[in-house]
Structures are given as structure tokens and as C-alpha cells.
Amino acid sequence: MMWTPQKMINNKYDRIIALIDMDCFYCQVEEQLNPELKGKPIIVQPLQYDDYGGGGIIALNYVAKARGVKRSMRGDEAKTQCPDLELVRVPVIRGKADLSKYRKAGKQVATVLQTFTPLMARASVDEAYLDLTERVQTRLADMTKGKYALSKSDLKCTFAVGYECIDAYVQFVTNKVTKATDDAEDDSEHLPEEDQESFRKSDIKLLIAASIVNEIRAEVKEQTGFECSAGIAHNKTLAKLVCGLNKPNKQTLLPLKQITDFYRTLPIKKVQGLGGKFGEKICEDLNIQYMAELLKFTREEIQKHCDERNSKWLYNLARGIDMEAVTPRLVSKSISCSKMFPRQNAIADVQTLNHWLHEIAKDVVDRVDEDEFENNRRPKQIVISFTQSINNSDVSSSRTVNFVANNENKIVNDAFEVIKRNTTKFLKPDDPNALFNPIKYLGFNVSKFESLDSKGGIEELFRRSFQKKENQSITETSNVSIEDDSVANNICILNENGNEEPQNSFLSKYNVEFKDDDTDTENSESDSESGALAEATHQMNQNLLRNVLESPRLSTSSTNPEYIDYYVPSEQPKVACSKCGKMVVETEMQVHSDAHLAFELNEKQRTEFQNQLKRTHAPKTPIKKKQKSETKILSNKKKEKTSIEKFLVRKRETSPEPSTSTAIDVEVEKCCECGKTIPITDLFEHLDFHTAKKLQDELMKSETTTNRMNNNSMKKSKNNYNNSLSSSKNKNNTKNKNTKNTAVRNITTFFQSTE
DNA sequence: CTTGGATGGATCA
DNA sequence: TTGATCCAT
């Protein structure tokens, strides 16, 4: 029963996660490649035009959608529905669909996204999760200090679940903030203390995140020409859920307090991971259909129908909690090439089998080769998969083989051997050319990549931080790490319709456990919001980087700065991280170190580093790269090393002056607003007060300029305006009633920057 | 028969 | 670790 509760708790609502999803990505790619298509209704189809009904549709743009074309239509039907529809076919190479241009475009996008945070995980060719927690915190701190203000245009194209327009939501947040300063009453007060701050800051953080995501989407558009939509919430699952609510080229955030309402009409199947058999089973077993209905069940009841892990996950998710971390991953962990041979296309003879093995193997060779140039790695393993039709039913098999050389014939031979060896009856006895059972699917999957640049050292570490990989400990343990009781008692706020269970029993227990277990987290306790801490963290990261560069083995600080390190299993052997001193399970140390590295690099450094990699790796002539690979890698290694050295040196030079004491040691801080000395633990609260004041000031100041802006939402609420501009600038000290009215009146320019 | 194929990730025994 | 299976885009 050893957890670090405080860390876990903070991760329930503290994180800000965005899911970026490209709008009808394949269509956008095709439009970019063939600009004549722009503005026209188009669909993208997988194969030749000889398919049933004119072929399927894998993507359609919004023009086509507006014309009534549906994804479920066949090509013919779509063409009938929309006669001037443009049919774009994905190219076919070696008899199979060639998706390389979409992969390439997706990689471009990911490269841009990655510059905003190291905590980016590609979820598919056109989707990526971003953990924006740090960026949001930084901006919130800036805002609080008056260095930054949201303007209306920052929230362009933004929607908030449960609100008609974003202005309505902003108004709500405004009222809440101003109210909180004057009024002791707070709708988060019945939460456990640990959650209250997170809860109160949720709305403003989501808004800030929306402004950041707008910037991200604008950058993606500028750098790649592609448009995307986004979902913004406190965890991946929710971000994903709301992403599709407003499309295209829009973004949707999910306020914490809207989750229950949102769940009421949300079919369970829509949740990622519940769209298949498992979700169906849950729905049937519990006889429910919507997410909100999950709330009725205890964890034990849920667990009757699934394993512990899933029951916890479901139980938490029903309460808006999903602890899965955004695991940084920039490149895929495997590459697969496959082809189906449905029905009469099933492979029935050895010659045909051989032919297709070669075709697909060529694909493998090309992809692996390309990957080697891009990522300087090579797979160690290849899995050969095939499906036979035996007695009219499909039987799938796969076998693993060492990947010793990226060679077409070698791959084919291995595959042929594998198929022969693992087929009880390979050939028909009377016909040595005919397969006994037809083959309906062939596939290769290479994985277990090995970095080609030698050999440990800082280079390797850097590379890993870019290429890698997974952070399994975070992903896996985060789910099981939520203690049942803590969850059960911390979610009452989501049950805004009452009926929540009493929570008192838990609190004491929680506190006890917290204290018992809180051996090494004292310094970072409850400060994760603080701008000062953020600075301290940054400073510490600088120091950490220096440590890595100068004496990697040296153990220094004993703080654990990263909010992603929120879980420490107790029973496995642990060792101290050489960077942060935190005790980490031995087998997870590499991952832990990677996380440090990912965090330590700022965007510029990362892009610079990547560009250098690209430069040194980019072949002069993209064609015929095969036989050069060996020698080229060697020469590159040298170049690259110097590049890295340069990079590191520069990094050192541009590092901020080392501060001998990090802000973590500071107990008090001078308020930048009023000059008062405030205990650091109270600083944020204190600054909140100033924020509210400022907002009020802005409100008044921009009142007149507001009238220039004339949008629908303003027109709508125009009648609510009044002319009480009489208050002085210090009116922030006035009563609730007054501030509320002001906020209502002037909501659209509330966040206007003053500069 | 028919949103099916290609692809990638994750889980579990 | 491997092989089968599930899930998602």
C-alpha cells in the first residue's frame, strides 16, 4: 500500500491534455498535392475502381460531406449523390495501397507539434496527444503577474462543452474568479483539500490551454498547410472524446463541471477502448448504455464483469478521471507491411505465394531502409503473419524471426520457411504447386529497434529521448495506482446532483497514508501550481542538464520535480536516480532518465538537434540509398558527434546563470504586485487576488473599446449591458454584486490585453 | 457480400 | 518472450 498520494491526486485534474486531430487528413493531403482539388468535393478511395459498388471511401472532405456524401457509401452511390465529386485513388504500388505520402505528411505535423512540448505522443498517422500542463502553468503564472492576458482572438474557433459559445463560458469563469476573492464560499470546498486548488484553477487553465492550442494549430497550418481540430481536457480520454464535437478547424474544451452532463448522453461505445467487444460486454452485463449510468455501480460491482485493472479504469472514468499519461513517443515502435487476399483472391499456389511474399518484402526493405535514415536504427526482429482459410474459417498464425539483414530474399525465405513449417498441411498431395489451404493474409512486422549510433554516452541518451519509446511504467502504473478509496471519495464533486457518498472516513485515512508514505516528496509538496516552483523546476532542469554533461554519475538534488513521476511502486527494487535522487524501480530507470531528458530540452534545442540529425542524415539523392547505408552511417556518426558536441556546448553557454539556490528552498516570496512578502505556499492564492483585481480593471478600461467589436454573441447579450461605469479602478474591492454585473456587461473583452 | 485495408499499439496467457 | 487477439484510425 505504498503510493505517493499527493502526486496521484494532483494528476487527476492538474494535467491539461490536448488531442490534435487532423481534419479529413487524407483529403487534405491530396488537396495539397493537387491544388485543383481545393474547394471541390472529393473522396479518397483505397483501391482500383473495380471494387463492388465503385469502391469504398476512406476519407471525404467537408465539401463532399456538405453535399450529402457519407462515409458508408460506395463510390457509385457517392457519385450519384454528388455528380461533380472527385474520386481520388490512393496509389497502388506492388499491388497494395501506398500510404507513404500520408505518413510523410503526418510526420511533418508531428514535427511541428513536438516543438511545443516534449510530452507529445503520436496516436496515429493523423492524431497526437500533447501534455500542455507545463505550458499552461507558465502562462497562468505570467497572467497572474500581469505579463500576459488573454484576448478574444486567442479563443477563436474554441467551444466549451455545455456552453452555447465560448463567451458564455468565459463569462462563467469570470464570475467565478471574481467571486472567489470576495466570497469565502467556493463550490470546490467540499472537495478534499488536495483537489481544491486544481478544481478552482481548472476553468482558467482550460481557457489558457485553448489559447495555446490555437497557437499550435496556427503553427501547424503555417508550417504544413494542414488544418486540424482539437480536444482539450484534463486527460487523454476526455480530450479525445470532445475533439470531434466541433469540426473542422475548431477546438473544443471540456469544463470539469460539465462532465456529468456530457456523460448523460454519451454512449459508452464512444469512449476510446470501449468501442469493441469489451465495451459491449460492459453495457450488456450492467444493462446500461450511457457513461453517466456507470456512476451507479461500485467498483466491486463493476469488477464482477471484468478484471481489476479495467474495473478501476471504468470506475475512475465514470468520474472524469483517467490517469494515463502522455507518453512521449516521436517515432513508431514497429513497422508493418501487409496485404489481404480476400475470398477468391486467396493465395492458392506456391508461385503466387512467392510472388506476394516478394512484393511485401520489398515494401519492408524500403520502409526499413527509410526508417534507418530517418531514425538511425534498425529492427532486430521480424514477425511473419499469415491467415489461412481452413474449413471455411480463418486461422491466423504468426512467428517471430531474428531480423539479421534488410534483404528481400532473406525475408522471403524466412517467411516461406515459417509458413511451411507452421502449416500442418502445406501442399496438396496431388499437386505440388497448390497450397492445401488458401492464404488470405500476409504480413510482416519489424520491431525491437536497435540504435545504430554507439555506445551509450550522452549521444545515446539524447537520441533515446527523441526516438523512444515507451514509458511503460507511467502508463501502466498510473491506472492501478489510484487507490480505490481515494477515488471514491474524491469524485463527489462530479456528482453535482447530490447523492454522493460521504467522504469523511476517507480523509483521515488519506492523510494518514499520505504522511506515512511521504518520505521523499516534502519539497515538492503542493507546489506544483506555483510559478515560483515552475521557475525552480526550470532552473533545476538547467542544473540537471549540466550535471548530465559534466558528471553524469553525480547525484545531486533530492527533489523530484516532474509531475509525471507520480508513482513509485513499493515492492520492486529501487535505485536512486542520478539526476533527481528519486527512488526508481530499477527496470524503469531508463525510462525515467528519458523523461528527464525530454523535459530538460526546450523547444529550440530539440528542433535544433533534430535539424542537425536531419542534415547529417539526409541523403543527397534520396534514391539508391541502400548500399550506402553502412558506410554512410559510419561517416555520419562522426559528423553527428561533433554536431552534438556543438549543441551541448551552446546549450551550456546559453544556460541561464546558475543559481546556487533554487526557489524550492525559498519559503517566502515577495509579491510582484503589492510587494508584500507571502509564504510561497500561499503565493498563488495571493496572486489570484491580484488577478481578479486586474480583470476588473480591464473590464472597466476596455468598456468603451468594446463597442467597436461587434459579433453575434455580443449582440445577443447586448440587452444585458448597463451603463454603470462609475466605479473607480479600485472597484475590485467592491461587493460581489457589483463585480458580477460588470462581468456580465463586458464579457467579450474581458481578457483583452492592456499593454 | 461489403466501410475493408493497411497499419500500429496494447494486452494476456 | 511469444503468439493470439483486440482495438483504433
Side-chain angles (χ1 to χ4, degrees):
Chain A
M1 305 296 106
M2 296 293 166
W3 290 279
T4 53
Q6 157 247 338
K7 290 278 184 179
M8 298 180 322
I9 299 296
N10 284 343
N11 274 275
K12 289 198 306 200
Y13 308 127
D14 278 352
R15 294 177 302 152
I16 300 289
I17 311 294
L19 173 71
I20 306 289
D21 186 295
M22 308 307 294
D23 301 323
C24 54
F25 191 43
Y26 286 15
C27 289
Q28 280 200 77
V29 173
E30 295 297 342
E31 287 170 12
Q32 188 177 77
L33 263 37
N34 180 5
E36 287 184 12
L37 295 175
K38 279 181 184 169
K40 296 180 184 175
I42 70 172
I43 61 174
V44 178
Q45 300 191 281
L47 283 180
Q48 298 85 342
Y49 197 76
D50 62 346
D51 275 70
Y52 156 79
I57 300 175
I58 57 177
L60 66 158
N61 67 0
Y62 282 83
V63 181
K65 192 172 287 184
R67 301 290 202 81
V69 178
K70 307 275 185 187
R71 195 124 174 208
S72 57
M73 289 177 176
R74 308 301 297 181
D76 292 343
E77 194 183 350
K79 186 78 178 175
T80 305
Q81 168 71 33
C82 177
D84 56 339
L85 185 69
E86 299 279 346
L87 310 181
V88 181
R89 285 180 275 140
V90 355
V92 173
I93 295 187
R94 300 192 199 102
K96 55 197 288 288
D98 174 27
L99 305 176
S100 53
K101 53 180 166 183
Y102 310 121
R103 274 194 293 265
K104 187 177 295 184
K107 211 181 67 183
Q108 283 186 349
V109 173
T111 303
V112 176
L113 295 179
Q114 182 212 324
T115 64
F116 287 88
T117 172
L119 289 183
M120 183 217 64
R122 294 191 69 182
S124 72
V125 68
D126 71 334
E127 280 184 328
Y129 290 96
L130 305 181
D131 188 327
L132 301 177
T133 307
E134 290 224 328
R135 283 200 156 242
V136 169
Q137 280 178 190
T138 303
R139 184 163 293 187
L140 176 58
D142 285 350
M143 237 175 112
T144 310
K145 293 173 191 163
K147 287 198 287 187
Y148 179 88
L150 284 177
S151 69
K152 185 175 174 62
S153 63
D154 292 331
L155 300 177
K156 188 175 43 178
C157 302
T158 304
F159 295 80
V161 175
Y163 295 85
E164 277 192 17
C165 58
I166 194 61
D167 290 339
Y169 180 56
V170 171
Q171 177 175 332
F172 167 79
V173 176
T174 305
N175 289 342
K176 200 183 80 166
V177 169
T178 53
K179 177 181 157 195
T181 59
D182 295 357
D183 196 339
E185 175 142 13
D186 189 308
D187 51 17
S188 68
E189 70 174 357
H190 55 297
L191 278 175
E193 219 178 289
E194 291 78 13
D195 285 342
Q196 288 188 17
E197 186 179 358
S198 306
F199 193 84
R200 264 183 290 112
K201 287 185 163 43
S202 167
D203 290 304
I204 187 66
K205 281 186 173 185
L206 289 170
L207 280 173
I208 291 173
S211 73
I212 293 173
V213 172
N214 253 335
E215 292 164 11
I216 293 174
R217 295 198 303 117
E219 186 69 9
V220 168
K221 170 84 175 186
E222 185 178 326
Q223 299 280 319
T224 71
F226 298 126
E227 292 183 349
C228 57
S229 295
I232 303 159
H234 288 299
N235 60 58
K236 288 171 68 177
T237 303
L238 294 178
K240 167 83 177 162
L241 273 171
V242 300
C243 178
L245 260 38
N246 296 285
K247 281 187 156 225
N249 200 21
K250 296 177 184 62
Q251 51 190 47
T252 308
L253 61 84
L254 177 60
L256 201 42
K257 280 197 287 199
Q258 294 297 322
I259 295 178
T260 37
D261 278 346
F262 179 53
Y263 273 1
R264 262 189 264 282
T265 56
L266 179 71
I268 291 179
K269 322 172 101 27
K270 296 290 184 185
V271 176
Q272 159 231 84
L274 298 177
K277 293 182 178 181
F278 176 58
E280 201 170 345
K281 174 177 164 50
I282 291 298
C283 289
E284 284 179 7
D285 289 357
L286 300 180
N287 192 26
I288 58 176
Q289 194 179 351
Y290 298 103
M291 278 303 288
E293 300 177 82
L294 261 182
L295 276 175
K296 296 184 298 197
F297 299 93
T298 66
R299 213 179 65 64
E300 287 71 24
E301 286 169 331
I302 297 176
Q303 194 164 334
K304 287 174 189 163
H305 309 282
C306 60
D307 62 20
E308 181 180 331
R309 183 189 148 84
N310 279 320
S311 71
K312 282 184 182 176
W313 180 68
L314 282 172
Y315 184 87
N316 291 333
L317 194 62
R319 288 146 182 85
I321 298 167
D322 170 34
M323 298 292 283
E324 188 177 330
V326 176
T327 302
R329 186 175 56 243
L330 307 173
V331 300
S332 64
K333 295 193 286 193
S334 69
I335 294 172
S336 59
C337 304
S338 63
K339 180 167 175 57
M340 300 199 62
F341 306 93
R343 283 175 295 284
Q344 89 267 23
N345 296 20
I347 300 173
D349 63 274
V350 175
Q351 285 74 24
T352 308
L353 172 61
N354 225 287
H355 170 259
W356 284 115
L357 284 178
H358 269 97
E359 294 304 282
I360 305 174
K362 284 177 196 166
D363 242 43
V364 173
V365 170
D366 283 356
R367 294 276 306 276
V368 168
D369 207 40
E370 192 183 334
D371 181 72
E372 180 177 316
F373 278 99
E374 285 177 8
N375 303 315
N376 208 29
R377 60 180 188 171
R378 202 176 269 192
K380 287 190 321 196
Q381 177 183 88
I382 181 167
V383 176
I384 295 141
S385 306
F386 60 99
T387 299
Q388 308 170 86
S389 179
I390 300 179
N391 296 334
N392 231 337
S393 71
D394 291 352
V395 177
S396 299
S397 312
S398 67
R399 290 294 179 270
T400 305
V401 175
N402 285 341
F403 190 87
V404 294
N406 191 22
N407 176 281
E408 177 187 332
N409 287 327
K410 168 65 176 163
I411 294 171
V412 170
N413 288 339
D414 285 351
F416 197 86
E417 276 304 303
V418 160
I419 294 174
K420 184 157 59 167
R421 199 179 337 119
N422 295 282
T423 311
T424 44
K425 296 169 188 166
F426 183 56
L427 298 175
K428 285 188 174 169
D430 51 334
D431 184 348
N433 284 330
L435 300 178
F436 193 91
N437 290 309
I439 288 177
K440 299 174 73 174
Y441 170 86
L442 287 175
F444 296 106
N445 182 301
V446 300
S447 57
K448 305 279 167 67
F449 288 98
E450 192 175 56
S451 181
L452 285 177
D453 34 56
S454 55
K455 8 202 142 222
I458 192 68
E459 273 180 71
E460 172 81 350
L461 286 178
F462 268 100
R463 183 170 302 285
R464 279 192 204 185
S465 73
F466 293 134
Q467 290 185 340
K468 279 243 287 220
K469 218 67 177 200
E470 62 181 352
N471 206 331
Q472 244 185 348
S473 64
I474 289 173
T475 309
E476 286 180 1
T477 57
S478 58
N479 278 337
V480 299
S481 65
I482 308 177
E483 193 192 0
D484 301 342
D485 290 347
S486 73
V487 171
N489 290 285
N490 280 329
I491 45 71
C492 297
I493 188 61
L494 297 174
N495 281 335
E496 52 186 18
N497 288 343
N499 301 340
E500 58 265 24
E501 304 162 20
Q503 59 198 5
N504 44 2
S505 64
F506 153 73
L507 265 185
S508 53
K509 181 177 179 223
Y510 177 84
N511 288 334
V512 167
E513 289 196 355
F514 179 85
K515 291 209 162 65
D516 281 352
D517 195 39
D518 187 20
T519 53
D520 62 344
T521 58
E522 230 168 76
N523 281 341
S524 59
E525 180 176 344
S526 77
D527 281 7
S528 65
E529 302 287 339
S530 156
L533 181 70
E535 271 186 63
T537 303
H538 178 71
Q539 186 57 57
M540 180 154 38
N541 284 333
Q542 303 298 324
N543 293 336
L544 285 173
L545 186 54
R546 269 191 297 277
N547 287 336
V548 170
L549 301 180
E550 290 160 7
S551 56
R553 301 266 182 274
L554 202 60
S555 171
T556 55
S557 164
S558 66
T559 56
N560 49 347
E562 314 300 359
Y563 59 87
I564 63 171
D565 292 334
Y566 46 77
Y567 175 76
V568 181
S570 64
E571 284 154 33
Q572 304 173 50
K574 290 185 279 189
V575 296
C577 173
S578 63
K579 297 177 198 169
C580 62
K582 184 183 174 79
M583 299 304 289
V584 178
V585 175
E586 211 168 352
T587 55
E588 292 163 2
M589 182 52 87
Q590 182 59 62
V591 154
H592 179 88
S593 303
D594 286 351
H596 273 296
L597 281 161
F599 258 103
E600 286 154 10
L601 302 172
N602 67 36
E603 328 152 15
K604 222 175 246 170
Q605 293 163 348
R606 286 196 310 279
T607 40
E608 181 181 345
F609 183 70
Q610 288 221 314
N611 287 338
Q612 284 179 0
L613 287 189
K614 208 168 270 177
R615 250 176 275 136
T616 54
H617 280 284
K620 296 276 167 149
T621 58
I623 322 122
K624 64 163 72 169
K625 36 193 172 180
K626 285 182 190 172
Q627 70 271 43
K628 294 197 310 182
S629 47
E630 294 294 337
T631 57
K632 204 168 65 58
I633 292 306
L634 285 177
S635 61
N636 275 348
K637 208 191 302 179
K638 191 175 178 187
K639 273 190 222 158
E640 186 190 323
K641 186 169 183 180
T642 61
S643 298
I644 288 180
E645 280 167 354
K646 216 167 60 187
F647 164 72
L648 295 181
V649 166
R650 168 154 7 162
K651 163 68 198 157
R652 220 177 320 200
E653 286 166 349
T654 58
S655 287
E657 55 309 332
S659 92
T660 48
S661 74
T662 70
I664 274 185
D665 303 324
V666 179
E667 304 278 322
V668 296
E669 177 126 322
K670 204 166 134 188
C671 174
C672 53
E673 296 293 332
C674 60
K676 270 201 245 174
T677 301
I678 307 291
I680 194 163
T681 50
D682 299 338
L683 185 59
F684 229 89
E685 296 304 311
H686 180 81
L687 289 175
D688 267 355
F689 174 71
H690 287 298
T691 302
K693 282 172 74 170
K694 279 206 176 86
L695 292 176
Q696 282 305 120
D697 291 347
E698 294 317 316
L699 212 55
M700 302 314 300
K701 236 185 282 179
S702 57
E703 174 78 9
T704 48
T705 65
T706 306
N707 297 332
R708 274 187 255 124
M709 313 172 63
N710 214 6
N711 62 26
N712 292 337
S713 58
M714 283 192 59
K715 284 177 185 168
K716 250 190 265 175
S717 53
K718 208 170 184 175
N719 292 336
N720 294 333
Y721 292 175
N722 63 49
N723 291 325
S724 63
L725 290 172
S726 55
S727 310
S728 73
K729 280 188 179 178
N730 284 333
K731 68 173 307 185
N732 41 302
N733 289 328
T734 58
K735 291 304 179 192
N736 271 348
K737 190 180 167 193
N738 206 350
T739 63
K740 268 185 203 166
N741 285 342
T742 318
V744 169
R745 190 170 62 244
N746 205 10
I747 198 61
T748 51
T749 51
F750 182 82
F751 288 114
Q752 199 85 29
S753 169
T754 54
E755 296 231 314

